[in-house]
Amino acid sequence: MSTEPLLASSGGNLTSDMRNDNYYTQGSILEVNQEVEDDHSGDLVTHTESRALTRGLAQRHLSMIGIAGTIGTGLFLGLGGAIQTGGPLGALIGYAIVGLIVSSVTFALGEVSALLPVTGSFVRHTEFLVDPALGFAVGWNLVYGIALSIPSEITAICVLFTFWSEDVNPAAYIMAFIALTFIVGIAFIRVFGEVEFVFALLKVLLVVFLIILGIVIAAGGIPGTPAIGFRYWRDPGPFVEYIGTGDLGRFLGFWSVLTSAVFSFAGIESLATAAAETRNPRRAIPRACKRIFVRVLLFYMLAVFVVGLLVASDDPRLDDSSGTAAESPFVIAASAAGIAVIPSVVNAVVITSAWSASNQALLAGTRVLFGLALKGQAPRVFLRTTSWGSPYACVLLYTAFMFLSFMSLSSGALTVFWWLVDLTAAGVLVSWSVILLNHIRLRMAMAKQNIPVSRLPWHNWWTVYASSASLFMCILILLTGGFEVFTAGNWDASAFVSSYLDIPLVLSAYFIWKFVKKTEIPSLKSILLEDAFRQVDQYPDEPEGKSEGLLRIVSWMWD
């Protein structure tokens, strides 16, 4: 295990004895008593993180965590809805555009996190580079959203099990997955990494299999099944008229795909949340970012293309809203081709996807909350960790929220629960926007302070332009994502809340903290970048070797 030194910004230096692993793990519980003196204390890696957390994640874990976070129900079940709304070409273009935005977000996050590998990732970056009040607002928005997203994933798991049988009491599934999620959350960080590594591997293998199977079906390679080719691109056509007619209707169909595509890619922003628990973060995070972008975008683009070949946009089977594998376009095509085993396989992997999503949400939520407590923006009790480096107080809080899953057993309570979830549905775009803003501010501050870009642990010449363009697109999609509710006869209060209420919630939290704490946006010259660069120069990462043994067979996904 390697540890980071305490920097000048956190108020002292670690002795060689304090760097010893045993120093950090004496006793069953570590109780942190570090004082947070001002809004900018703890902006870089701190004594608390170095002492209380352990570096158990390797680069292969990060790469596969990012892949696992983006390949889930959105790909397995949600692509049919995109084809239905935008048509095969409209969906393909929509996912391509959002894929480019995701590329910018991933590279922006990687460049900043390689310089500032702190717990809480972009939330802490925001406090350092933009405004402590914005970090507070975005951080608590994430804490609230994740606290509700975990029980929503557990509820989805219960629905997925009904694909096979409805005889089992859903409460049994709920309790089982609450216990499993808690165990993964409270265990060593490496346990989480290995669990997500296996889940991601299953997802990738299934995606590759489904893409190949889809191509075979479309080419008529299944006995008794005629070739489909580009039949559905000709009839009913490459685009779908949505809400309007003519060119306007086709454009609205394409534009509506952007929002669904954003939520399909959701989770990529949590990649560096546990940066302070990652071995060689300045090397591992950039490598993970580069590999995630290529593989995830490739999988999604191929999957969208193949689905556009397999299923017509006006196929009534796409109206299935059961929440199980029955609504997957891959399952629809496989069933039509007489391959009976595919639905159960897809449903099983989607269950692992939902549980994987709850595990990742718990990791991201606990680390963001830990980071907020480190900055004095949350109660200091959340800085408490176990002897093996798990923030147990944070885990217990999120575990309590998991019991909201039982609201799904009552139809009335379930309605209230989904309204609560909808409050932060737009949080993905808010997080992406903040990540891009952090990167823009970092580059601007470096230019203002005459710091060459080459001093960054990882940098790319094009990202400074891509971040600005992608920030504009994120804000545009955020403001127009719910355009349907403003068209004639389509008003829906729940859809409006889901699309827009998160914006005033974040702004309210921002201005309240700013008013109470009198925070200021630091000038570009006053951002203390030299401390971070000094640490980069003094404590370089150790080189990591390539995967060995049987792992080399599949190591192309992360190496």
Side-chain angles (χ1 to χ4, degrees):
M1 182 188 77
S2 62
T3 57
E4 295 289 354
L6 179 63
L7 299 179
S9 66
S10 51
N13 293 294
L14 291 178
T15 66
S16 58
D17 291 337
M18 292 168 68
R19 291 194 188 98
N20 185 279
D21 289 352
N22 294 328
Y23 177 88
Y24 303 118
T25 57
Q26 291 174 356
S28 59
I29 298 296
L30 290 172
E31 187 168 344
V32 181
N33 293 311
Q34 182 187 25
E35 293 292 337
V36 179
E37 298 177 355
D38 55 58
D39 286 314
H40 277 293
S41 65
D43 288 319
L44 309 182
V45 179
T46 65
H47 183 183
T48 300
E49 288 164 284
S50 292
R51 190 185 74 173
L53 304 176
T54 58
R55 295 193 181 277
L57 294 178
Q59 185 257 319
R60 68 179 177 90
H61 294 129
L62 285 189
S63 295
M64 299 303 276
I65 286 170
I67 292 174
T70 53
I71 297 179
T73 55
L75 189 148
F76 295 122
L77 305 184
L79 292 185
I83 298 294
Q84 192 177 37
T85 304
L89 184 55
L92 191 63
I93 296 173
Y95 270 83
I97 290 174
V98 175
L100 292 175
I101 295 173
V102 170
S103 169
S104 299
V105 171
T106 305
F107 276 64
L109 178 62
E111 287 190 13
V112 180
S113 296
L115 177 66
L116 304 169
V118 294
T119 304
S121 185
F122 64 92
V123 174
R124 296 263 298 281
H125 301 160
T126 304
E127 297 180 0
F128 180 49
L129 297 168
V130 185
D131 189 340
L134 183 60
F136 169 84
V138 174
W140 276 104
N141 188 60
L142 280 169
V143 169
Y144 170 81
I146 291 172
L148 294 176
S149 71
I150 298 175
S152 73
E153 295 292 349
I154 295 175
T155 299
I157 291 172
C158 295
V159 174
L160 288 163
F161 272 106
T162 63
F163 179 78
W164 293 303
S165 174
E166 297 185 8
D167 297 333
V168 180
N169 189 331
Y173 296 129
I174 292 174
M175 281 305 304
F177 279 93
I178 287 177
L180 288 171
T181 305
F182 170 77
I183 290 171
V184 173
I186 203 70
F188 290 92
I189 185 66
R190 182 164 183 176
V191 172
F192 166 83
E194 298 298 348
V195 168
E196 290 305 300
F197 179 84
V198 173
F199 284 165
L201 198 57
L202 288 175
K203 293 180 190 180
V204 170
L205 293 176
L206 180 61
V207 170
V208 172
F209 170 74
L210 291 177
I211 289 173
I212 294 173
L213 176 65
I215 293 173
V216 171
I217 293 174
I222 304 296
T225 302
I228 301 173
F230 285 86
R231 179 193 309 168
Y232 300 132
W233 284 58
R234 294 187 295 270
D235 182 26
F239 292 95
V240 171
E241 293 180 350
Y242 181 66
I243 297 180
T245 58
D247 290 341
L248 176 61
R250 286 186 283 272
F251 173 78
L252 293 178
F254 146 73
W255 194 258
S256 67
V257 171
L258 297 180
T259 302
S260 61
V262 165
F263 292 111
S264 293
F265 284 108
I268 198 75
E269 66 277 0
S270 64
L271 169 66
T273 306
E277 296 164 86
T278 303
R279 295 196 294 269
N280 301 320
R282 294 187 177 89
R283 185 186 304 270
I285 292 174
R287 288 179 65 185
C289 289
K290 287 187 288 187
R291 284 149 182 77
I292 287 170
F293 161 65
V294 174
R295 287 149 183 76
V296 170
L297 191 58
L298 179 65
F299 291 145
Y300 264 98
M301 296 310 298
L302 284 175
V304 173
F305 174 72
V306 170
V307 167
L309 297 178
L310 296 176
V311 185
S313 58
D314 58 357
D315 191 319
R317 291 173 294 180
L318 293 176
D319 292 326
D320 189 307
S321 57
S322 63
T324 67
E327 67 179 81
S328 169
F330 293 107
V331 168
I332 292 172
S335 299
I339 307 175
V341 72
I342 295 299
S344 289
V345 172
V346 172
N347 201 67
V349 175
V350 172
I351 288 174
T352 68
S353 297
W355 185 35
S356 170
S358 66
N359 289 337
Q360 288 200 40
L362 182 60
L363 177 78
T366 52
R367 273 52 183 185
V368 168
L369 185 56
F370 185 95
L372 289 171
L374 195 65
K375 295 284 293 180
Q377 297 173 335
R380 288 174 54 222
V381 67
F382 294 118
L383 291 176
R384 295 182 178 182
T385 62
T386 62
S387 59
W388 55 86
S390 175
Y392 75 91
C394 299
V395 173
L396 289 175
L397 176 68
Y398 281 102
T399 302
F401 275 94
M402 291 181 203
F403 286 90
L404 291 176
S405 307
F406 285 99
M407 294 178 71
S408 64
L409 304 181
S410 166
S411 59
L414 183 62
T415 301
V416 175
F417 173 68
W418 286 116
W419 267 81
L420 293 173
V421 172
D422 283 344
L423 291 178
T424 56
V428 175
L429 285 167
V430 173
S431 296
W432 289 4
S433 299
V434 168
I435 290 170
L436 295 165
L437 179 61
N438 291 340
H439 181 253
I440 292 170
R441 287 274 298 178
L442 172 63
R443 287 297 195 93
M444 291 174 65
M446 290 179 65
K448 194 73 172 179
Q449 298 178 29
N450 296 317
I451 300 174
V453 176
S454 59
R455 289 192 64 188
L456 285 171
W458 184 50
H459 61 90
N460 302 272
W461 68 267
W462 54 269
T463 52
V464 66
Y465 308 106
S467 290
S468 299
S470 296
L471 178 59
F472 170 79
M473 285 300 300
C474 282
I475 295 174
L476 184 62
I477 297 172
L478 179 62
L479 296 178
T480 62
F483 72 88
E484 296 98 334
V485 301
F486 300 112
T487 58
N490 290 307
W491 171 256
D492 183 275
S494 179
F496 176 80
V497 168
S498 176
S499 299
Y500 295 112
L501 194 58
D502 198 42
I503 300 173
L505 287 178
V506 172
L507 290 176
S508 297
Y510 171 74
F511 286 113
I512 289 173
W513 189 260
K514 195 169 187 65
F515 175 77
V516 172
K517 294 295 183 178
K518 304 294 189 295
T519 67
E520 296 181 356
I521 300 175
S523 66
L524 296 176
K525 279 192 173 183
S526 67
I527 298 175
L528 302 176
L529 295 179
E530 280 299 335
D531 284 343
F533 284 112
R534 191 176 302 115
Q535 186 201 26
V536 173
D537 296 335
Q538 293 178 352
Y539 300 92
D541 281 349
E542 301 170 1
E544 284 192 35
K546 294 285 187 178
S547 299
E548 298 179 354
L550 293 177
L551 280 179
R552 293 186 64 181
I553 299 173
V554 290
S555 64
W556 58 270
M557 284 183 279
W558 62 84
D559 274 342

